[in-house]
Amino acid sequence: GAVVSQHPSWVICKSGTSVKIECRSLDFQATTMFWYRQFPKQSLMLMATSNEGSKATYEQGVEKDKFLINHASLTLSTLTVTSAHPEDSSFYICSAIQSIRGYTFGSGTRLTVV
Amino acid sequence: TQLLEQSPQFLSIQEGENLTVYCNSSSVFSSLQWYRQEPGEGPVLLVTVVTGGEVKKLKRLTFQFGDARKDSSLHITAAQPGDTGLYLCAGGSNYKLTFGKGTLLTVNP
């Protein structure tokens, strides 16, 4: 079955530094990947749609300069949280799509900014 | 903006009881999915429904998609402690998923 690997699973960083999160499709090519953010005991909020070879599409209210997305290959999308602050602490999850019915999610990255 | 209203938000029951979680929207979705999420993990797909009126069963779980493809329900029979988790419905449209707020289910032994 389709597998999406997300790395790292958790990261702690100092305020003001940048953090990169990777999302890889292991056994299929994903022209489209999605990045979500989830606060404790809440649902997933779509941040952006990552398209291979083109610019990401950001949801309303998401700062594109804050959350840099790069989808340079058919199997890898990266999310970089720039100049992270404590309010950026959250659970970040990526997903990849094989077809309109086939979404596979990564296992998430717990970001803590201290 | 398409919205999915999910209810109840929290549910705590005893082992052996039945429960139903509802997912409603004013919008039509091309597909609707149900996920279960454990703490610190990504969501895991339980089922996808695409046809209005469709009913799918997965062991003790029964999923229904409304005739108008705007609402869905998840019914769990004889709940077990292993069913504890966050249940999320998500509507698919134009290759994007819109998630409901989730139902946090706790099944007490």
Side-chain angles (χ1 to χ4, degrees):
Chain A
V3 177
V4 172
S5 173
Q6 194 170 335
H7 179 81
S9 55
W10 61 270
V11 58
I12 301 173
C13 71
K14 290 185 177 180
S15 185
T17 62
S18 295
V19 174
K20 180 184 286 189
I21 303 169
E22 293 186 347
C23 181
R24 294 180 184 273
S25 57
L26 296 187
D27 50 2
F28 67 99
Q29 294 182 332
T31 56
T32 303
M33 292 186 176
F34 303 91
W35 287 96
Y36 296 85
R37 183 174 181 175
Q38 184 178 32
F39 291 105
K41 296 185 179 180
Q42 293 188 25
S43 189
L44 282 70
M45 296 298 295
L46 180 64
M47 299 174 66
T49 302
S50 173
N51 303 296
E52 188 269 334
S54 64
K55 291 183 179 181
T57 305
Y58 290 82
E59 296 299 301
Q60 192 172 12
V62 178
E63 300 175 58
K64 59 182 66 176
D65 295 330
K66 174 79 171 173
F67 300 99
L68 299 179
I69 291 172
N70 184 276
H71 195 154
S73 78
L74 286 171
T75 58
L76 174 65
S77 175
T78 61
L79 168 68
T80 301
V81 183
T82 62
S83 187
H85 291 284
E87 58 266 30
D88 298 323
S89 298
S90 189
F91 193 54
Y92 293 87
I93 307 174
C94 70
S95 75
I97 183 171
Q98 277 189 299
S99 70
I100 196 168
R101 302 179 189 181
Y103 300 84
T104 303
F105 285 81
S107 55
T109 298
R110 171 72 58 196
L111 170 63
T112 303
V113 185
V114 298
Chain B
T1 302
Q2 295 178 309
L3 295 175
L4 275 170
E5 298 291 335
Q6 198 171 333
S7 63
Q9 191 173 352
F10 300 97
L11 189 55
S12 180
I13 61 172
Q14 294 300 122
E15 182 175 3
E17 292 183 0
N18 302 331
L19 68 114
T20 302
V21 178
Y22 299 93
C23 183
N24 298 290
S25 174
S26 58
S27 302
V28 175
F29 291 98
S30 56
S31 66
L32 198 137
Q33 303 182 347
W34 285 92
Y35 292 84
R36 179 166 169 264
Q37 186 182 22
E38 301 271 6
E41 298 288 333
V44 175
L45 179 66
L46 295 174
V47 77
T48 299
V49 285
V50 296
T51 305
E54 185 175 4
V55 177
K56 281 191 175 180
K57 291 192 175 183
L58 185 65
K59 296 184 180 178
R60 293 177 294 102
L61 279 60
T62 301
F63 304 87
Q64 285 189 306
F65 199 15
D67 291 340
R69 291 187 291 141
K70 292 182 179 181
D71 56 271
S72 181
S73 65
L74 157 61
H75 182 79
I76 301 179
T77 304
Q80 299 175 0
D83 295 328
T84 294
L86 180 66
Y87 289 82
L88 297 158
C89 66
S93 181
N94 295 326
Y95 295 93
K96 289 171 64 173
L97 281 182
T98 301
F99 279 87
K101 290 190 174 182
T103 295
L104 189 58
L105 171 65
T106 303
V107 182
N108 303 298

